[in-house]
Amino acid sequence: MAMAALRREGRRLLLSPVSYNSPVAARSAILSDELGPMGARSVSTQAVRNRMKSVKNIQKITKAMKMVAASKLRAVQVRTENSRGIWQPFTALLGDNPSVDVKKNVIVAITSDKGLCGGINSTSVKVSKALYKLTSGPEKETKYVVLGEKGKVQLVRDSKNSIEMNITELQKNPLNYTQVSVLADDILKNMEYDALRIIYNKFQSVVSFLPTVSTILSPETVEKESEAGGKLGSLDFYEIEGGDTKAEVLQNLAEFQFSCVLFNAVLENACSELGARMSAMDSSSRNAGEMLDRLTLTYNRTRQASITTELIEIISGASALTG
Amino acid sequence: MASTAAAVPFWRAAGMTYITYSNICASLVRGCLKEPYRSEAVSREKVHFIVSKWADGKPEKPSIRSDSPEA
C-alpha cells in the first residue's frame, strides 16, 4: 500500500520513470532523484524539500490569482447584468431566429486572450465547429471571425482556411461600448454576410457558464424572412417617422443590433472567463495543498528511515567492537 | 437634392455606418461635459485592439487600432 502511494506520488511529481525493483532503491530513487555510488545508502531529503518549497510557492500564486479574478469579477458582473437590457428591445422587435437558413454565415467566436481559465474556450470552439458543420452545405459559405488568442490557436488547427479575421488584445483597456462598436464596425465593413452568429459563454453564476449563440440577420434576410410571417412579418404594422424608408431603418437597426449584442456578448464572456479562472485557481490551490500534505508525510518517513539506518549502523558497529 | 433615389441620410452617403455616426455623436456629447466628469467619460472612450485579416489560411500583417475611438 505504501508502494502504491509512492507510485502515485511519483506520477504526480512527474519524475522520470524509475524501475520499482526493490523498496529501498525505489524509495531513495524517487526521493533523491539519483542513486548514490554503490547503491542507495544516503537517502537525501533535499529533493523532497525542494519539491515542497516549489509546491508551496505555486499554491500562493494560485491563491493570489483566484483573489484577483474574484475582485475583477465583482466589477464586471455588475456591468454585464446592466448590459443585458441593451439587446432585449431588439429581440422584442425582431424576434430570435437561430434556425434561419441562409447562404452566407459568419460565425463570430468570442474567446479569451489569457489562459488558465478552465474549459470555457474549448467549449466555445466546440460549439463554433458544430455550428460550422450545421451551416455548411452546397452553395453555402461559412466563415469565422475569432476574437481572442485562445480561440485562434484552437481553430487554426483544422479550420484555418475558413478564418477571415482575428482580433486580439481586446481587454487591454477596460471594456467599453465604444471599443466594441468600432470592432463591430470593422467586422461589418469587411465581411459579407446574410446572418451573423455570435458564440459566447453566458454568465449564469460564478460556477455555471452556458455557451450561447446569438443570431443577427442582415437587412436583406430580414426582408426575406418577413414574408414567412411571425414577428418579422408584423414589422410592416409599424409606422416609420422621419422620412426614412423601411430598408433604411432596417439597415440602421441591423448595424446597431450587432454592436449591442456584441457588447453584451463580450462582457458576458469576460465575466465567464473570470469566474472560470476563479474556480480553476481554487481547485489548483486545493490540489497543491493535498500534494503538500502527501509530500510532508513522505519527507517525515524518509527522515525517520535515515535516522533509523544511522542508528542501526552505529549500534551494529559498536556491538562489532565490543562483541 | 437626391429626390429620385431613396433619401439617404448625409452620413450614409459619406460612407459611414450607423455605428460610426452614433459614436461621433456620443463623443460630441462627452465633449460637452465639465471637468471631473469629462475625464471619466474620456476613459470610457478608449479603444485598443489588434486586427489581422486572414487570406488563404495565413494571417496577414496585423494592424493596431488604438486610441482614437473614431474610424
Side-chain angles (χ1 to χ4, degrees):
Chain A
M1 210 188 55
M3 270 313 298
L6 285 171
R7 231 178 275 130
R8 253 182 283 132
E9 259 171 76
R11 239 179 277 136
R12 276 193 221 256
L13 298 179
L14 293 176
L15 289 170
S16 47
V18 188
S19 67
Y20 299 92
N21 283 332
S22 75
V24 174
R27 202 174 269 161
S28 55
I30 293 175
L31 299 168
S32 63
D33 261 303
E34 67 205 7
L35 290 172
M38 316 273 202
R41 265 318 202 64
S42 62
V43 176
S44 137
T45 56
Q46 186 59 35
V48 186
R49 245 181 295 149
N50 285 342
R51 194 70 74 171
M52 280 169 61
K53 202 162 58 149
S54 62
V55 170
K56 211 184 296 191
N57 285 338
I58 289 183
Q59 189 184 30
K60 283 195 202 144
I61 292 175
T62 51
K63 264 204 196 130
M65 284 185 74
K66 171 186 167 197
M67 298 215 200
V68 164
S71 67
K72 282 193 187 161
L73 179 65
R74 249 175 278 133
V76 184
Q77 191 173 348
V78 169
R79 297 184 66 198
T80 308
E81 286 173 8
N82 291 339
S83 82
R84 282 188 188 151
I86 261 187
W87 53 262
Q88 278 158 357
F90 284 106
T91 318
L93 176 68
L94 299 169
D96 192 21
N97 304 293
S99 52
V100 67
D101 192 24
V102 288
K103 290 234 174 54
K104 291 209 173 95
N105 279 297
V106 172
I107 299 183
V108 181
I110 306 188
T111 55
S112 61
D113 277 340
K114 304 201 182 128
L116 291 181
C117 50
I120 54 167
N121 291 328
S122 312
T123 44
S124 284
V125 168
K126 229 184 346 184
V127 172
S128 316
K129 288 192 186 161
L131 201 55
Y132 184 89
K133 259 198 234 156
L134 221 83
T135 56
S136 52
E139 285 189 12
K140 290 204 222 166
E141 194 190 317
T142 317
K143 290 267 173 202
Y144 285 112
V145 171
V146 190
L147 267 72
E149 267 298 317
K150 298 286 160 188
K152 172 188 94 160
V153 162
Q154 290 194 30
L155 280 174
V156 139
R157 263 193 235 128
D158 49 3
S159 327
K160 62 180 179 163
N161 288 321
S162 321
I163 301 184
E164 194 67 37
M165 281 171 78
N166 172 244
I167 292 118
T168 47
E169 290 203 16
L170 197 58
Q171 296 216 26
K172 189 160 174 187
N173 299 326
L175 289 170
N176 53 36
Y177 176 75
T178 316
Q179 178 170 1
V180 176
S181 65
V182 172
L183 176 60
D185 197 31
D186 263 358
I187 298 180
L188 285 174
K189 283 210 177 107
N190 284 315
M191 317 275 314
E192 308 178 355
Y193 67 99
D194 287 331
L196 286 156
R197 297 177 198 267
I198 309 181
I199 298 182
Y200 59 101
N201 293 83
K202 193 169 172 135
F203 182 78
Q204 307 278 74
S205 80
V206 180
V207 294
S208 100
F209 329 105
L210 272 189
T212 335
V213 180
S214 296
T215 319
I216 296 169
L217 307 172
S218 71
E220 299 88 20
T221 324
V222 170
E223 282 296 337
K224 229 178 13 155
E225 291 292 319
S226 62
E227 288 155 28
K231 269 225 172 100
L232 291 174
S234 55
L235 275 180
D236 282 323
F237 293 137
Y238 287 95
E239 203 183 285
I240 304 178
E241 291 184 14
D244 287 335
T245 60
K246 179 176 175 204
E248 251 311 303
V249 170
L250 275 182
Q251 173 111 13
N252 294 346
L253 274 183
E255 293 171 358
F256 194 43
Q257 184 187 15
F258 179 43
S259 175
C260 292
V261 174
L262 192 65
F263 178 57
N264 181 61
V266 169
L267 273 180
E268 300 254 6
N269 205 58
C271 238
S272 312
E273 174 197 341
L274 288 169
R277 184 166 297 135
M278 236 179 81
S279 56
M281 293 293 105
D282 180 46
S283 54
S284 109
S285 316
R286 213 176 315 125
N287 284 343
E290 286 174 21
M291 199 188 280
L292 207 53
D293 286 339
R294 265 196 305 266
L295 280 173
T296 315
L297 285 176
T298 321
Y299 175 69
N300 285 333
R301 253 202 308 257
T302 336
R303 193 175 49 85
Q304 290 166 346
S306 72
I307 293 175
T308 313
T309 327
E310 270 197 59
L311 277 175
I312 291 179
E313 287 174 17
I314 294 173
I315 293 177
S316 50
S319 72
L321 282 175
T322 58
Chain B
M1 292 287 275
S3 44
T4 45
V8 188
F10 64 93
W11 43 271
R12 181 97 37 201
M16 283 201 257
T17 56
Y18 181 74
I19 300 178
T20 338
Y21 174 56
S22 66
N23 274 340
I24 295 181
C25 298
S27 56
L28 285 175
V29 171
R30 286 192 195 111
C32 302
L33 291 171
K34 276 204 200 160
E35 212 4 84
Y37 305 105
R38 188 180 202 160
S39 18
E40 288 169 29
V42 165
S43 73
R44 279 201 293 269
E45 263 194 323
K46 293 221 166 71
V47 172
H48 176 92
F49 56 89
I50 300 184
V51 182
S52 84
K53 296 212 196 77
W54 287 54
D56 292 334
K58 285 221 170 48
E60 300 171 355
K61 193 161 185 304
S63 56
I64 307 183
R65 296 211 56 178
S66 179
D67 259 338
S68 66
E70 309 309 337

